[in-house]
């Protein structure tokens, strides 16, 4: 649908966040996409961003995540490989 869902599971609990289209600047998807990434690694990649920073995520099923945002006068771009079980 028109919802972006982020969920995380760990040893001490789990969380699921649903973000409707109205709260996103844009969302584009031709099909449902699923991939697993390390929450610790994602947290490290986003640490330099302020809370009002616009972050662009591009992902495909079981493919690397592309994460991009502005930092000062430049841009930060990361690729994170998914965890495959």
């Amino acid at each position: 649908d028109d919802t972006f869902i982020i969920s995380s599971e760990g040893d001490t609990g789990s969380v699921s966040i649903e973000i409707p289209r109205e709260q996103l600047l844009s969302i584009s998807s031709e099909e449902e996409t699923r991939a697993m990434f390390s929450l610790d690694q994602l947290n490290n990649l986003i640490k330099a961003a302020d809370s009002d920073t616009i972050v662009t995520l591009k992902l495909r099923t079981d493919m690397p995540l592309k994460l991009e945002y502005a930092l000062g006068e430049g841009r930060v771009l990361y690729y994170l490989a998914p965890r495959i079980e």
Side-chain angles (χ1 to χ4, degrees), residues 2-3 15-16 18 31 34 36 54-55 57 63-64 74 78 82:
D2 290 343
T3 304
V15 66
S16 182
E18 294 187 22
E31 61 188 38
R34 297 177 58 95
M36 291 187 351
I54 296 172
V55 177
L57 299 173
M63 297 294 289
Y78 293 106

Side-chain angles (χ1 to χ4, degrees), residues 5-61:
I5 301 170
I6 302 170
S7 61
S8 177
E9 295 180 18
D11 295 337
T12 59
S14 64
V15 66
S16 182
I17 301 169
E18 294 187 22
I19 305 170
R21 177 183 281 284
E22 299 81 39
Q23 294 181 358
L24 300 171
L25 292 178
S26 69
I27 186 171
S28 174
S29 178
E30 295 177 8
E31 61 188 38
E32 182 177 304
T33 304
R34 297 177 58 95
M36 291 187 351
F37 300 95
S38 165
L39 188 57
D40 288 335
Q41 289 177 337
L42 280 170
N43 189 41
N44 286 335
L45 299 182
I46 203 74
K47 276 186 179 180
D50 294 328
S51 61
D52 62 347
T53 299
I54 296 172
V55 177
T56 302
L57 299 173
K58 295 185 180 183
L59 57 107
R60 294 173 56 194
T61 297

